[in-house]
Amino acid sequence: MIIDEDLLLKNGAVYEDYPAKENIYEMGSTPHYYFQVVTGTVELNNYHEDGKEFTLNIISEGQSFGESLLFGDKNYPMNAIAKTDCRILKLPKSSFLNMLSENIELAFTMFRYLSDRLFYKYVMLFSNSAIDPVLKIKSLLDYYKENSSGQTLYSYKVPFTRQQIANLTGLRVETVIRTIKKMADDSILKLDGRQILY
């Protein structure tokens, strides 16, 4: 979801810069802000007991994160980490909720966005329960391609590394590398050097 930067600033948002690898918030902390990425990439993740990272989502420029938790009283169930140097707009929770209550059209846009996020979670939950790694990777790529401008065969430039795909699908990176090669051999996707075209 993209909320106009001027509207956010008018309602009290401030810019905050985060260097790569810095925590924006940690699992268990209390949600106090609406966050919108101005530049950079943010990763939402958790860690299993064995230390293996599980990526819940990768947020890029213009997208928001953490907003669904502003409507309840639960703590963050994940970490938000700057994967690259980031500039983020932060709007306090009370100002965010006031802004939505004063702008019904914006509130409905937020509901549509949250609905899309739930759809993504359902799709990924189902595909991650599958055994076939092709299905897991294809479901992930289908979702992100559907939300991009390129809809023709091989028009979507996948913005994720093999490691990020592994973290998003719960697969081992070695499995992702082999599976992507097989998907290229089967013409499901195309490789251009390290770039994946889907």
Side-chain angles (χ1 to χ4, degrees), residues 16-73:
E16 194 161 310
D17 294 318
Y18 294 87
K21 299 183 181 176
E22 185 173 326
N23 283 348
I24 298 164
Y25 60 73
E26 294 182 351
M27 186 171 129
S29 61
T30 304
H32 291 296
Y33 296 97
Y34 167 85
F35 297 96
Q36 185 165 297
V37 180
V38 178
T39 60
T41 303
V42 173
E43 182 179 276
L44 304 180
N45 69 18
N46 284 7
Y47 291 92
H48 293 282
E49 288 179 9
D50 62 3
K52 184 180 178 195
E53 179 182 351
F54 183 76
T55 302
L56 299 164
N57 209 341
I58 296 173
I59 311 296
S60 55
E61 296 176 14
Q63 294 180 309
S64 60
F65 60 98
E67 66 283 338
S68 62
L69 294 163
L70 296 176
F71 296 102
D73 295 318

Side-chain angles (χ1 to χ4, degrees), residues 5-176:
E5 286 186 33
D6 290 335
L7 180 60
L8 290 172
L9 292 167
K10 178 182 165 192
N11 281 278
V14 294
Y15 291 103
E16 194 161 310
D17 294 318
Y18 294 87
K21 299 183 181 176
E22 185 173 326
N23 283 348
I24 298 164
Y25 60 73
E26 294 182 351
M27 186 171 129
S29 61
T30 304
H32 291 296
Y33 296 97
Y34 167 85
F35 297 96
Q36 185 165 297
V37 180
V38 178
T39 60
T41 303
V42 173
E43 182 179 276
L44 304 180
N45 69 18
N46 284 7
Y47 291 92
H48 293 282
E49 288 179 9
D50 62 3
K52 184 180 178 195
E53 179 182 351
F54 183 76
T55 302
L56 299 164
N57 209 341
I58 296 173
I59 311 296
S60 55
E61 296 176 14
Q63 294 180 309
S64 60
F65 60 98
E67 66 283 338
S68 62
L69 294 163
L70 296 176
F71 296 102
D73 295 318
K74 305 282 188 205
N75 291 341
Y76 288 118
M78 80 291 269
N79 306 298
I81 300 168
K83 292 308 277 185
T84 63
D85 291 345
C86 291
R87 173 163 267 205
I88 293 177
L89 267 169
K90 289 174 59 174
L91 179 65
K93 177 179 178 175
S94 59
S95 300
F96 172 72
L97 295 175
N98 285 339
M99 181 180 67
L100 290 181
S101 69
E102 294 171 2
N103 187 335
I104 195 71
E105 186 176 319
L106 182 61
F108 277 103
T109 300
M110 175 62 64
F111 296 149
R112 281 192 299 275
Y113 180 72
L114 293 176
S115 175
D116 186 50
R117 284 271 177 92
L118 277 174
F119 177 80
Y120 169 75
K121 296 297 178 202
Y122 293 142
V123 166
M124 292 311 298
L125 182 63
F126 179 73
S127 70
N128 284 345
S129 69
I131 295 170
D132 183 5
V134 171
L135 177 61
K136 290 184 179 194
I137 293 171
K138 191 171 180 325
S139 292
L140 176 75
L141 300 182
D142 283 343
Y143 174 79
Y144 281 96
K145 181 175 183 173
E146 182 181 298
N147 292 295
S148 74
S149 56
Q151 297 300 313
T152 59
L153 187 63
Y154 309 138
S155 63
Y156 177 60
K157 291 184 179 182
V158 177
F160 308 125
T161 65
R162 271 81 169 156
Q163 183 64 61
Q164 288 172 321
I165 293 171
N167 292 347
L168 283 162
T169 57
L171 296 168
R172 294 172 49 107
V173 70
E174 296 83 5
T175 303
V176 170

